[in-house]
Amino acid sequence: MDAARIDGNTLLLPGGVRVRFIRTLRLPETGTHPLPPGLGEFPVRRVEDYARTVPDEWRARGGVMVPVYLREALWLSFGASEPAALQVGVGKVCAVSGRPWSSRLTRNPQNYVVLPRQPWLDGINSGRGTVRQFVAVPLGLGATVEGQVTGEEVWGGVQLQAFPLREAPLAKWREEERRKREQALEIARSRAGSGLYGGAPPAPGAAPAPAMARAAGGPPPSAPAMGLGVGGSMRQEVYRDDWPRGSWAKEPAGRVFVHLVTPPQWRRITGEAPPPSPVDRAAYTEAGLPWFDYYDQDGEDLAPTDTLGGVKPAGDWLGDDHEPWQQPSPHQVKPLGDAPGRPVQDGDW
C-alpha cells in the first residue's frame, strides 16, 4: 500500500481519493431533517509530527488527528479523480454495513461507499434514505457505535481505506471519459460559434461539488479517547454499488487511522489553539444559514442493516442538552444538483 498524505486539511489517499472533515450543526435526536451545511474544516495533523507529545498507542497506530468537542457533529466530504471504493470505519465498525472492520470489500452487505457518486457521508447508514449524524463522544460510556455494536470500546476514531478499480475497468472508464470530454468540447465550440453558448461546458458526468455547495519532556500522558456515536436523523442516501462484480482491486491502495482529540489535548499536543466551540442552533437558524436536500435520481439507496438501525443516540447516555431547536423555514432548504503533501505514517490497527 502507498502512504496517505495531507494537503492543507485534506487527506489524500492513493488513487485520487480526497477526504475532508467538516464541522456542522448538531441535529435534534428526534425527527428527520435536511442536510446541515459545513461550518468550516477541522484541522488535520500527522501523528508522527508530534511523536514526543502523543500517547504511545497513537504512535503505534500512526495516521492523523483531528480536534473535536464533546457532542460536536461532523461530516465527511469526499472527492475522487477516478472511481474508488472507500471503506469508512467508526471504531473499526463499518459505517455502511455495521460489520467489523475488514481488509476486503464485500457486496452483501456492502461495506463501502462508491466515489465519486457518494459526495459525502454525514453518519451511519441506519434507515431507508436516511443516516444518523456522526457525533463525537468519549469512550468508556458505551455511547459510541463501536460500543453498542461490539460491546467494547477499544479503538475509537475513524478508519479510512481506499480501493481502486482493476486495470481493465479503469482503462475502459478512462477511455469513456476521454470521449465525453471530446464530445463536450465539440458541443461547446459549436455553441460558441453560433452565439448560443459563451462559457465553458460543465464537466460531463461530474458529481456535484459538495465543498462549494455545503461549505461553508517525560513520557506522553494518556489522551482522553474519543469515538463517534450518533445524533439526529437526516435525509441522505448511501448509494448501492452499480459497478459489475469484480471491478474493484482485491487489495487496498492505502488507508489511514484518524484519531479524535479533545480540544485541551489538541492544545497540549500541538501547541495550537483548537477551533472555536460549535455554533448554537438557534443562532444558526436566526442567521438564515441554508440547509440542503441532495438527491441523485440515478442512484439506488443501500438498505440499512439491523445492526446499525438499532444504534441509539448519544443523548441516551449523555442526556439532553436543552438547547432550543428552531425548524428552518422552507426558503432555507436548498436543493443540490444531480498528491501533494507529506506522507502519513501507517501503523498497526
Side-chain angles (χ1 to χ4, degrees):
M1 284 188 292
D2 295 328
R5 296 174 182 270
I6 295 179
D7 182 13
N9 293 323
T10 301
L11 270 177
L12 305 177
L13 277 75
V17 172
R18 304 182 301 278
V19 181
R20 296 182 303 134
F21 298 87
I22 309 296
R23 310 185 78 202
T24 193
L25 186 69
R26 184 161 54 86
L27 300 174
E29 294 177 355
T30 57
T32 300
H33 306 274
L35 301 177
L39 302 176
E41 299 174 347
F42 286 94
V44 181
R45 301 290 181 267
R46 300 192 314 165
V47 166
E48 63 204 87
D49 289 336
Y50 303 93
R52 294 186 177 182
T53 51
V54 297
D56 292 341
E57 61 267 29
W58 291 18
R59 287 201 304 274
R61 294 174 186 174
V64 300
M65 53 188 174
V66 172
V68 291
Y69 286 85
L70 175 66
R71 297 185 75 167
E72 183 171 16
L74 66 147
W75 53 276
L76 277 59
S77 172
F78 303 136
S81 57
E82 295 183 331
L86 180 68
Q87 293 179 316
V88 180
V90 288
K92 295 190 71 172
V93 172
C94 177
V96 176
S97 70
R99 298 291 180 88
W101 183 258
S102 171
S103 60
R104 295 289 185 269
L105 298 180
T106 63
R107 283 216 179 192
N108 188 24
Q110 184 176 313
N111 66 349
Y112 55 95
V113 296
V114 179
L115 308 185
R117 162 156 277 172
Q118 191 80 38
W120 43 62
L121 188 66
D122 287 61
I124 63 171
N125 180 34
S126 59
R128 293 191 176 276
T130 63
V131 301
R132 296 213 69 147
Q133 190 175 39
F134 291 134
V135 174
V137 293
L139 269 61
L141 301 178
T144 62
V145 176
E146 176 186 4
Q148 295 186 58
V149 171
T150 70
E152 298 181 311
E153 292 181 314
V154 176
W155 298 100
V158 177
Q159 297 77 40
L160 301 169
Q161 188 163 254
F163 291 75
L165 286 173
R166 291 177 181 266
E167 288 187 12
L170 180 58
K172 181 179 178 180
W173 179 86
R174 286 172 174 169
E175 177 62 20
E176 290 174 351
E177 290 299 298
R178 185 189 64 79
R179 291 176 180 174
K180 289 178 183 178
R181 287 193 296 270
E182 290 179 350
Q183 292 172 0
L185 183 58
E186 287 300 318
I187 293 172
R189 286 171 177 167
S190 175
R191 288 179 174 175
S194 65
L196 296 176
Y197 190 81
M212 296 176 63
R214 293 182 67 186
S222 295
M226 296 279 281
L228 289 181
V230 300
S233 177
M234 71 185 77
R235 291 186 288 275
Q236 182 175 106
E237 294 177 318
V238 179
Y239 296 116
R240 184 180 299 279
D241 184 6
D242 58 5
W243 283 88
R245 289 187 178 274
S247 295
W248 304 108
K250 288 188 175 182
E251 299 295 330
R255 66 175 196 165
V256 64
F257 195 108
V258 183
H259 304 266
L260 302 180
V261 188
T262 64
Q265 195 74 2
W266 176 266
R267 185 185 294 273
R268 188 194 67 78
I269 290 172
T270 67
E272 301 176 29
S277 59
V279 68
D280 170 80
R281 292 199 298 238
Y284 176 94
T285 300
E286 288 170 0
L289 295 174
W291 297 72
F292 297 95
D293 190 13
Y294 177 78
Y295 177 67
D296 183 341
Q297 64 180 358
D298 297 323
E300 182 181 355
D301 183 41
L302 194 65
T305 64
D306 293 339
T307 303
L308 294 181
V311 173
K312 299 184 182 302
D316 284 17
W317 281 264
L318 303 176
D320 294 332
D321 60 4
H322 304 296
E323 288 183 10
W325 172 252
Q326 296 185 22
Q327 284 289 103
S329 59
H331 74 273
Q332 287 179 257
V333 180
K334 310 294 184 183
L336 298 178
D338 194 60
R342 298 158 67 192
V344 175
Q345 183 177 10
D346 190 22
D348 298 325
W349 47 274

